[in-house]
Amino acid sequence: MELTTPRLRLRMLEASEAELVAAFWIRNRAHHEPWVPKQPEEFFTADYWEKRLILYAADNAADTHVRRFVLEGDRVIGAVNLNNMVRGFFHSAHLGFSIDQAEQGRGKMHEALVAVIAHAFSKDGLHLHRIEANHQSHNVRSAALLERLGFERQGFAKEYLFINGAWRDHVMTALINREW
Ligand SMILES: CC(C)(COP(=O)(O)OP(=O)(O)OC[C@H]1O[C@@H](n2cnc3c(N)ncnc32)[C@H](O)[C@@H]1OP(=O)(O)O)[C@@H](O)C(=O)NCCC(=O)NCCS
């Protein structure tokens, strides 16, 4: 499934497009370091992404993760993931997102997430009841974006994720689909 917004397209990429993905992560390596878990060295290579994109397709088919890249024209400028999708009595997933450092401050991740959330909550889409998103308290861009999207603070997770050399506390937020 491909989502489109006025400026962007959100889609899966083929293994043949691995170079585009590797270039995005290489360009933004330092930008991500304070906010997302450290990746192994091979993560920053096209070889790794050739294999990984095939696994992503299997995850998408299994209804456990939804992984999309954000494209503007032919450039990959971001990534959005709904991870750990649990059905049963939950219908819930964890949201992860990142935009190219050079594209911050232009509302592009907001635009992408409005489309992702509409798809995630729609009965014809993923029909989720809840999306959780957790961020470090000093990640002010992430906090502002989530608040603008209507996410509400639900708690505080101590020593939640190993990022940049230490276990980092996270603010836990969620958006609930009250039309479920
Ligand atoms: C978190 C992250 C995606 C936020 O990106 P962002 O560009 O600030 O987010 P938005 O898309 O909401 O853009 C908001 C900014 O665009 C501006 N903007 C411009 N046009 C806009 C529009 N049409 N609509 C909304 N905002 C617009 C807003 O005023 C705001 O600017 P400001 O931050 O200077 O006040 C980005 O900082 C990032 O990728 N960080 C690294 C990875 C990360 O932290 N991931 C999350 C881990 S929890």
Side-chain angles (χ1 to χ4, degrees):
M1 164 277 321
E2 178 170 326
L3 300 173
T4 54
T5 73
R7 290 179 287 185
L8 310 167
R9 278 184 310 145
L10 282 82
R11 66 173 179 91
M12 269 295 294
L13 294 181
E14 305 290 328
S16 59
E17 297 169 295
E19 290 277 2
L20 284 176
V21 183
F24 168 73
W25 294 115
I26 292 166
R27 233 173 22 246
N28 289 290
R29 193 169 177 164
H31 169 52
H32 288 136
E33 209 169 80
W35 313 121
V36 299
K38 190 177 163 75
Q39 298 289 351
E41 229 15 74
E42 70 258 28
F43 183 86
F44 301 95
T45 65
D47 275 358
Y48 172 90
W49 281 100
E50 257 184 55
K51 296 182 198 106
R52 191 77 195 154
L53 288 168
I54 292 166
L55 295 176
Y56 272 20
D59 283 348
N60 282 320
D63 195 35
T64 51
H65 301 263
V66 172
R67 295 182 165 134
R68 295 288 178 271
F69 293 94
V70 182
L71 286 97
E72 188 168 31
D74 292 333
R75 279 185 328 125
V76 172
I77 64 156
V80 176
N81 297 318
L82 284 167
N83 294 314
N84 312 321
M85 208 146 59
V86 179
R87 295 297 183 176
F89 299 111
F90 282 104
H91 294 286
S92 176
H94 285 104
L95 177 68
F97 47 82
S98 157
I99 193 104
D100 211 304
Q101 184 165 21
E103 300 295 341
Q104 280 187 138
R106 297 176 189 189
K108 290 182 183 172
M109 186 47 70
H110 182 266
E111 184 173 316
L113 291 181
V114 167
V116 168
I117 291 164
H119 173 67
F121 283 174
S122 150
K123 288 189 172 72
D124 300 328
L126 302 171
H127 199 200
L128 292 177
H129 175 250
R130 180 190 202 83
I131 300 174
E132 297 190 20
N134 304 327
H135 63 83
Q136 293 179 75
S137 44
H138 62 294
N139 192 344
V140 290
R141 282 193 171 275
S142 189
L145 166 60
L146 291 167
E147 196 180 333
R148 209 158 44 238
L149 289 164
F151 281 73
E152 293 169 306
R153 186 183 167 123
Q154 303 254 313
F156 188 72
K158 285 194 173 175
E159 300 173 49
Y160 178 72
L161 271 183
F162 194 81
I163 295 177
N164 209 8
W167 289 97
R168 309 287 177 182
D169 298 345
H170 277 64
V171 175
M172 305 173 80
T173 76
L175 186 67
I176 295 167
N177 176 11
R178 298 207 161 86
E179 309 289 303
W180 191 85

